[in-house]
Amino acid sequence: MSQQRFPAGAADIWLGVPEDVDERGLAVLSSAERNRVRLLRDRAAASYAAAHIGLRRILGGYLGVEAGEVRLGRTLCPECADPAHGPPAVVWPATRLTFNLSRADGFWLLGVSEDRPLGVDLEAEPRIDPELTAPLAFTPRELAHLHGLPPEDRRAAFLRCWTRKEAVVKAVGVGLAADLCRIEVHPDRPGPVEVRYGVAPGPAVWTLEEPDFGPDLHAALARPAGSTGPVRTLRYGQDPLPAATAPAAAPAPR
């Protein structure tokens, strides 16, 4: 098996910025991904393509294979066992790597770890109306915190709360099908914070951290509580792509 070895609980966080994509980049995508690009509008298509090209090149680096050879899929949803919306996974080559991807206004964030789940979320401008959404997704304590702030501070507080919730439900593997009103993420506290939410037999407590990418981007990373390994923050296109530390994987099956 070929992959970068992570210390126990460690994670790499890769930030990608808006960029144009070319035919060489599109060639590494799967046929399903290229079809998705064709169906999306211009800006959304470019955002999706750039994120998935970056995802494949980064994972390929860890795994010691070409970006276009990485096969991606999903595991079963831990709550309903539906394979259509379970956590993302590498189908080939065989690996213990786990990953999670988030996109926001052309930017994207990729978290990679090993042997344990993780979730990431990235937000720029709210895609949804905070005043309408908060009552449907926040706990009473979270709403009280939000409404107790000056109006000019509420946008940042909303995004802190929202990214924390998304990171947790993505780490659990259920996504926004979860009842967000049941998940208390303590937006009044700076990270790291511990959040209780899970689906057995997976972890029930998560540690939430907030990588700093400047005032215009809000990000959150969820790892199982007790994950004390370091978190490296990397920038796609600036930092070198990862290189596998084991022999290259066997050729993909035909």
Side-chain angles (χ1 to χ4, degrees):
M1 179 172 57
S2 170
Q3 63 187 44
Q4 176 77 29
R5 300 301 180 186
F6 285 80
D12 283 353
I13 303 298
W14 291 84
L15 177 70
V17 302
E19 63 177 344
D20 294 330
V21 298
D22 55 23
E23 290 301 319
R24 182 181 177 187
L26 292 172
V28 309
L29 299 179
S30 68
S31 58
E33 289 167 329
R34 289 193 293 271
N35 286 337
R36 178 76 181 273
V37 172
R38 283 192 285 268
L39 292 172
L40 293 171
R41 295 182 181 273
D42 291 345
R43 186 175 178 182
S47 172
Y48 176 91
H52 283 256
I53 292 167
L55 163 69
R56 286 178 163 279
R57 286 175 172 165
I58 291 168
L59 291 180
Y62 288 119
L63 296 164
V65 301
E66 294 296 325
E69 295 179 342
V70 178
R71 293 188 180 181
L72 302 175
R74 292 187 178 276
T75 58
L76 298 178
C77 170
E79 198 160 52
C80 69
D82 187 339
H85 60 257
V90 177
V91 176
W92 187 91
T95 180
R96 301 200 310 272
L97 288 186
T98 58
F99 72 93
N100 200 243
L101 178 69
S102 179
R103 297 186 291 121
D105 200 25
F107 294 87
W108 52 271
L109 190 66
L110 173 67
V112 186
S113 189
E114 186 176 29
D115 286 332
R116 61 189 67 199
L118 81 167
V120 297
D121 190 52
L122 182 70
E123 301 290 341
E125 289 297 323
R127 295 169 293 173
I128 46 186
D129 186 330
E131 295 300 323
L132 294 176
T133 303
L136 302 176
F138 289 8
T139 68
R141 282 188 58 188
E142 292 165 347
L143 284 173
H145 170 70
L146 185 68
H147 294 149
L149 295 172
E152 62 271 18
D153 294 336
R154 291 178 187 171
R155 172 186 172 275
F158 173 85
L159 289 174
R160 163 178 274 186
C161 196
W162 184 265
T163 54
R164 287 180 174 187
K165 286 176 184 279
E166 277 222 49
V168 168
V169 298
K170 291 174 73 179
V172 172
V174 296
L176 291 181
D179 182 359
L180 299 182
C181 292
R182 293 173 49 206
I183 307 171
E184 173 67 55
V185 296
H186 314 293
D188 54 319
R189 303 179 196 170
V193 297
E194 286 197 351
V195 170
R196 295 185 176 275
Y197 178 75
V199 177
V205 185
W206 303 87
T207 297
L208 275 168
E209 301 164 76
E210 293 166 316
D212 184 5
F213 297 118
D216 297 326
L217 291 175
H218 294 255
L221 162 67
R223 298 186 289 169
S227 299
T228 57
V231 177
R232 292 196 307 170
T233 302
L234 304 158
R235 293 181 181 264
Y236 177 72
Q238 297 182 21
D239 291 301
L241 289 174
T245 57
R254 298 292 181 182

